[in-house]
């Protein structure tokens, strides 16, 4: 007799491409006008496919009150991630911004976004923000489903007030009037 208790089946498994971004500070403050602040941007690969090198582009939305002073970043405030990112791995890049010496506020919000992802991330919309506020206002939240390719970082700015007082005595001789 012929036995038929084994039958192979082919299952198609597609690779999932899912990126996320968070932004933080590389050093703690306090920060004052004129200081250089280093932000660290993390790009997470939450998917099952390794990213291709030079296909992920991050933009730092340099806010009013700050100036880009990092030579590794392009003039349009973007950085291309040079390395592939394996599934469940993270890569990071630092960006240096200088607080304008004349800045008078008490905080600055700096945002970053993945603006190009190779066109494969199905749950994110690269370059869909204007640099003002993310769709999801929770900071540093990595979602398994959702547009989590944008993140703000708020830094406090201490204002230094330097007041001086000068007192002089007068050497005038009083005049007596009769």
């Amino acid at each position: 007799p012929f036995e038929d208790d084994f039958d192979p089946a082919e299952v198609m498994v597609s690779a999932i491409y899912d990126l996320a971004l968070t932004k933080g500070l590389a050093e703690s403050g306090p920060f004052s006008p004129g200081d250089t602040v280093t932000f660290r941007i993390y790009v997470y690969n939450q998917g099952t496919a390794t990213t291709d090198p030079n296909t992920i582009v991050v933009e730092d939305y340099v806010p009013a009150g700050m100036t880009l002073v990092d030579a590794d970043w392009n003039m349009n405030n973007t950085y291309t991630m040079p390395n592939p990112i394996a599934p469940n791995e993270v890569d990071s890049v630092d960006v240096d911004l200088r607080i304008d010496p004349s800045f008078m506020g008490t905080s600055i919000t700096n945002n970053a976004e993945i603006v190009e992802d190779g066109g494969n991330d199905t749950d994110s919309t690269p370059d869909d923000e204007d640099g003002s506020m993310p769709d999801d206002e929770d900071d540093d939240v990595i979602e398994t489903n959702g547009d989590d390719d944008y993140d703000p970082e708020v830094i406090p700015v201490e204002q230094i007030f330097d007041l001086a007082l000068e007192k002089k005595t007068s050497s005038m001789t009083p005049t007596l009037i009769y």
Side-chain angles (χ1 to χ4, degrees):
F2 180 64
E3 210 172 302
D4 189 16
D5 62 353
F6 178 76
D7 192 14
E10 186 175 325
V11 176
M12 299 299 289
V13 177
S14 62
I16 298 169
Y17 196 89
D18 189 9
L19 300 176
L21 178 143
T22 62
K23 184 173 195 171
L25 290 170
E27 74 256 353
S28 61
F31 302 104
S32 299
D35 288 349
T36 296
V37 180
T38 301
F39 294 92
R40 184 156 294 142
I41 299 169
Y42 299 93
V43 176
Y44 300 85
N45 184 348
Q46 305 175 109
T48 59
T50 299
T51 65
D52 292 326
N54 300 311
T55 60
I56 301 169
V57 179
V58 175
E59 182 170 352
D60 190 276
Y61 296 106
V62 178
M66 297 191 95
T67 304
L68 178 68
V69 292
D70 196 318
D72 293 334
W73 285 67
N74 296 328
M75 295 294 288
N76 57 353
N77 305 331
T78 62
Y79 180 85
T80 302
M81 304 295 287
N83 302 315
I85 306 173
N88 298 311
E89 296 293 325
V90 63
D91 197 1
S92 66
V93 61
D94 287 352
V95 59
D96 296 324
L97 303 178
R98 189 168 136 274
I99 302 170
D100 296 340
S102 61
F103 182 76
M104 293 302 294
T106 58
S107 69
I108 299 176
T109 301
N110 181 237
N111 303 301
E113 180 182 20
I114 298 171
V115 293
E116 291 181 31
D117 65 10
N120 299 313
D121 192 343
T122 58
D123 72 353
S124 293
T125 309
D127 201 20
D128 68 337
E129 304 293 339
D130 62 3
S132 58
M133 282 305 292
D135 292 333
D136 180 0
E137 298 201 18
D138 290 332
D139 189 28
D140 298 332
V141 172
I142 300 296
E143 301 170 0
T144 55
N145 287 316
D147 194 355
D148 54 1
D149 62 353
Y150 185 100
D151 197 36
E153 186 65 29
V154 179
I155 61 163
V157 180
E158 290 185 341
Q159 293 295 330
I160 299 171
F161 298 99
D162 185 11
L163 302 176
L165 174 66
E166 184 177 318
K167 183 176 180 180
K168 292 183 179 181
T169 57
S170 173
S171 63
M172 293 178 35
T173 305
T175 307
L176 295 174
I177 301 177
Y178 295 100

